[in-house]
Amino acid sequence: MLNRRSFIKKTSLGVGLLATGAFPFEGFASETKRLTILHTNDVHSRLDPFPQDGGRLAGLGGVAARAALVSQIRAESDNVLLLDAGDMLQGTPYFNMYKGEPEIKAMSMMGYDACTMGNHDFDAGIEGFARLLPLARFPVLVANYDFTSTPLENKIPPYTIINKGGIKVGVFGLGIELEGLVSRAAFGNTKYYDPIQAAKSVSEKLKKVEKCDMVICLSHLGYEYETNKISDKTIAKETQYIDLIIGGHTHTFLDSPAIQRNIVGADVVINQVGWGGVRLGRLDYTFGRKKDAKLYKSNSVNINKETSVD
Amino acid sequence: MRAALIYILVFLSVITACHKAYYAQSYSSRHYAVGKNDMQDSSYIRFLQPYKTRMDSTMQIVIGRADTTLTKAQPECTLGNFVADAMLQAARQVNPKVCAAVCNYGGLRVPYLQAGSITIGKMYELMPFDNALTIIEVPGTILVQWCRHMAAAKGWPVSGISYIINEGNTVDIQINHRAIDEKATYLIATNDYLATGGDKCNFLIPLKATPCNMFIRDVLIDYVKGLSNINKPLHPYIENRVRYAE
């Protein structure tokens, strides 16, 4: 399998070079590109699978199973991104005892590309999270928190840019309002800014200035609310340059990604995969040169569907 | 020389211009139930082993049993009634005048507690936060406001209180089966997260609060152990503490 794939890769590289005369243009032979996005949210320190106690989540989740799945997908696809939308921490005694060390180490081992911060990622205090950062071999992104005069100052960038197989992907993070949700002792001097304004300016910068082909928002705002509280749906509606929102916080199990029209009527994809690491989300995109095409959704099949999950 | 420079500049601009944008054309989605196909990367099991061994030595200790599966739901649930009852019992040992207990629904961190053995670890998962038991002095008017807040949030676990949710508002608030007296002051057991304004309970901040120096989690552990000591299983019931108007 691998041999065949590397043969194809080498061959297509050769063809590509021939087609372009080895000139440093991007080859006509590679007009279609593919990108696979894997994602989690609200894993909440679930390093082990749910216990075999007869409950409806029994046996689901766990880093060993997730890692095996991620490896298998990486072996089958070339351009894979692995992202998390926050609340990696808190929820099992692992966190009470080790304050996030095994969670972040496991994510580094698995090769996560980026994550954002959830409200529970403040649960060991800002100092506690700052102590974990050296263990993270991936950036933690938040565009609407100001960490000036905190132990996280200059350590949480608003966005990162990842080049995957010729596709330039801009990824940024959005955090939820902390006041009234996280204790002041835990978030300290962290300042929260309007996520809509932050999303507008960062996504515009990524698309227009940085010329990203795709802009992904990692959001811990929550999928949607009955009140006018800002959610992923609000962010999608109010902005122009976001292609995909990977959400969290509301522990929403979406059967398939939601589509929300943005401010200029283009489709934004929103996805969230519940909580506890029982589900791994996957989105496969194709890219081409055609501008302003309607985003086409092809059929999706869910693998090993869980029984009822909350 | 000058011509060469211009050539280089033109060449560079051509290269730059050729970083033509790609546009998403189509996507497909799927999701995987992690752990459903028995595929595991054993290097992660080995990595976790030292953490797990130390953790399990305390967390796997059995403290009692439930003879029914406790579930998390709104407006009222057995998991919430267990937590609120345990808080009220513990607070009454500190001050017998405490009349009721309130816990935030979002503070229950597991969707169910399966019937069978209850371990210390399961109590950590249900209540992982180091939230402490706190007794607050709540004027009747503020308690009405609090109940409305709970109703707007579709019902929070309570013990010693009952109320009916009617279109997001509350009617028929009763404290220990008697209509609420807005002129009275009630001693209510809650957690320090809410008492300090958490979950948008900023109206509780000015109230007089007495900390009990007990984690809610330890309160739950003691409650289960207490039942176990008298050979009783944990078995909370739905008692129409919180319900929707018909």
Side-chain angles (χ1 to χ4, degrees):
Chain A
M1 180 68 187
L2 273 174
N3 283 338
R4 195 181 126 253
R5 268 168 33 79
S6 82
F7 169 76
I8 291 168
K9 255 198 257 179
K10 278 174 189 156
T11 324
S12 58
L13 179 66
V15 171
L17 285 172
L18 277 176
T20 58
F23 212 65
F25 295 132
E26 288 179 30
F28 299 109
S30 54
E31 289 290 283
T32 299
K33 304 245 177 214
R34 289 175 207 287
L35 180 69
T36 299
I37 296 150
L38 303 180
H39 61 97
T40 51
N41 58 274
D42 300 276
V43 176
H44 281 297
S45 298
R46 289 276 160 187
L47 291 154
D48 293 332
F50 279 83
Q52 295 289 1
D53 60 2
R56 69 178 189 271
L57 298 175
L60 290 176
V63 285
R66 196 189 334 150
L69 204 46
V70 168
S71 299
Q72 189 192 40
I73 295 163
R74 282 197 181 118
E76 291 164 359
S77 321
D78 279 327
N79 306 316
V80 179
L81 282 180
L82 178 57
L83 305 169
D84 184 89
D87 275 7
M88 304 163 274
L89 308 181
Q90 183 74 281
T92 68
Y94 277 110
F95 181 73
N96 300 85
M97 293 185 74
Y98 309 113
K99 305 294 173 206
E101 181 188 304
E103 290 89 325
I104 302 297
K105 278 186 171 172
M107 287 176 75
S108 292
M109 285 165 70
M110 240 179 272
Y112 270 81
D113 291 284
C115 75
T116 190
M117 264 183 101
N119 46 304
H120 287 297
D121 297 320
F122 286 87
D123 282 1
I126 305 186
E127 302 77 13
F129 196 77
R131 272 195 293 275
L132 294 173
L133 272 185
L135 306 173
R137 294 202 292 264
F138 51 88
V140 181
L141 311 169
V142 189
N144 65 321
Y145 291 157
D146 178 0
F147 290 107
T148 306
S149 314
T150 77
L152 287 175
E153 185 166 1
N154 299 324
K155 290 176 180 168
I156 308 290
Y159 66 85
T160 190
I161 294 169
I162 304 166
N163 282 291
K164 274 280 169 192
I167 297 295
K168 195 170 178 184
V169 187
V171 185
F172 74 99
L174 291 178
I176 194 166
E177 182 160 24
L178 300 169
E179 185 74 54
L181 184 62
V182 176
S183 80
R184 275 189 166 275
F187 71 81
N189 288 325
T190 310
K191 283 186 195 70
Y192 162 86
Y193 290 116
D194 178 10
I196 300 173
Q197 291 311 315
K200 277 183 177 172
S201 66
V202 175
S203 62
E204 181 169 3
K205 185 178 181 189
L206 289 169
K207 212 56 159 274
K208 293 289 169 191
V209 182
E210 302 285 359
K211 308 278 185 200
C212 290
D213 302 310
M214 182 184 202
V215 174
I216 302 176
C217 170
L218 299 179
S219 156
H220 202 77
L221 297 172
Y223 175 62
E224 69 177 334
Y225 299 101
E226 286 171 9
T227 60
N228 58 3
K229 188 170 166 178
I230 298 169
S231 66
D232 296 344
K233 288 220 159 165
T234 326
I235 296 296
K237 263 183 226 169
E238 303 281 328
T239 60
Q240 185 178 346
Y241 299 105
I242 297 170
D243 295 288
L244 167 66
I245 300 175
I246 301 291
H249 189 63
T250 41
H251 295 194
T252 310
F253 283 99
L254 290 174
D255 281 334
S256 63
I259 300 291
Q260 176 65 54
R261 291 278 164 84
N262 73 10
I263 205 160
V264 294
D267 286 346
V268 181
V269 177
I270 308 173
N271 206 14
Q272 195 178 144
V273 287
W275 73 287
V278 303
R279 197 181 268 188
L280 178 73
R282 173 174 179 169
L283 294 151
D284 291 281
Y285 276 81
T286 60
F287 289 83
R289 296 299 195 189
K290 208 169 123 203
K291 197 182 174 180
D292 296 329
K294 171 117 179 78
L295 187 65
Y296 174 75
K297 183 184 191 300
S298 46
N299 286 334
S300 55
V301 185
N302 295 324
I303 313 296
N304 297 325
K305 202 166 167 52
E306 310 94 288
T307 48
S308 170
V309 279
D310 182 14
Chain B
M1 186 62 198
R2 192 187 162 85
L5 189 65
I6 286 168
Y7 176 79
I8 289 167
L9 280 175
V10 167
F11 182 74
L12 280 175
S13 69
V14 164
I15 289 178
T16 320
C18 282
H19 276 283
K20 260 171 62 185
Y22 280 95
Y23 302 91
Q25 309 287 324
S26 70
Y27 76 98
S28 65
S29 75
R30 67 183 93 168
H31 52 250
Y32 301 83
V34 177
K36 259 286 162 83
N37 64 358
D38 292 330
M39 205 169 60
Q40 290 208 323
D41 183 336
S42 57
S43 63
Y44 287 78
I45 309 278
R46 285 194 299 277
F47 158 73
L48 285 177
Q49 201 54 58
Y51 296 104
K52 191 172 165 57
T53 304
R54 212 184 111 205
M55 180 177 77
D56 285 352
S57 66
T58 49
M59 295 301 165
Q60 291 301 327
I61 295 169
V62 174
I63 52 170
R65 56 181 290 274
D67 65 355
T68 181
T69 294
L70 282 66
T71 54
K72 181 183 172 183
Q74 284 179 304
E76 181 187 346
C77 61
T78 47
L79 194 61
N81 287 355
F82 155 51
V83 172
D85 289 349
M87 288 167 69
L88 181 56
Q89 181 181 296
R92 278 183 174 158
Q93 281 160 13
V94 176
N95 184 341
K97 288 183 189 146
V98 174
C99 58
V102 176
C103 165
N104 52 319
Y105 183 71
L108 311 176
R109 301 304 294 183
V110 289
Y112 59 83
L113 180 67
Q114 190 67 17
S117 297
I118 301 172
T119 59
I120 289 190
K122 288 197 171 178
M123 296 297 98
Y124 268 80
E125 292 179 7
L126 169 58
M127 194 61 64
F129 317 120
D130 291 342
N131 287 342
L133 188 66
T134 303
I135 298 167
I136 50 176
E137 295 180 20
V138 189
T141 49
I142 302 287
L143 190 50
V144 170
Q145 185 182 358
W146 200 3
C147 288
R148 280 197 191 122
H149 184 76
M150 294 185 231
K154 299 182 178 178
W156 281 3
V158 285
S159 182
I161 297 178
S162 66
Y163 58 90
I164 297 169
I165 303 174
N166 190 2
E167 290 168 4
N169 207 335
T170 44
V171 287
D172 195 19
I173 302 171
Q174 296 195 10
I175 312 298
N176 295 320
H177 308 292
R178 289 171 60 187
I180 189 166
D181 177 359
E182 294 201 15
K183 294 190 189 71
T185 294
Y186 295 93
L187 287 182
I188 310 284
T190 190
N191 56 53
D192 60 344
Y193 172 71
L194 295 181
T196 56
D199 235 336
K200 305 281 179 201
C201 289
N202 47 323
F203 48 86
L204 300 179
I205 298 172
L207 306 184
K208 186 170 181 239
T210 311
C212 301
N213 299 316
M214 277 183 261
F215 286 149
I216 304 289
R217 182 174 52 243
D218 294 333
V219 164
L220 302 181
I221 291 169
D222 288 347
Y223 187 85
V224 173
K225 279 182 177 169
L227 287 173
S228 196
N229 288 342
I230 53 169
N231 290 317
K232 279 175 95 174
L234 177 64
H235 193 133
Y237 292 91
I238 296 293
E239 298 173 326
N240 283 330
R241 298 178 190 185
V242 187
R243 63 189 168 90
Y244 282 102
E246 272 147 29

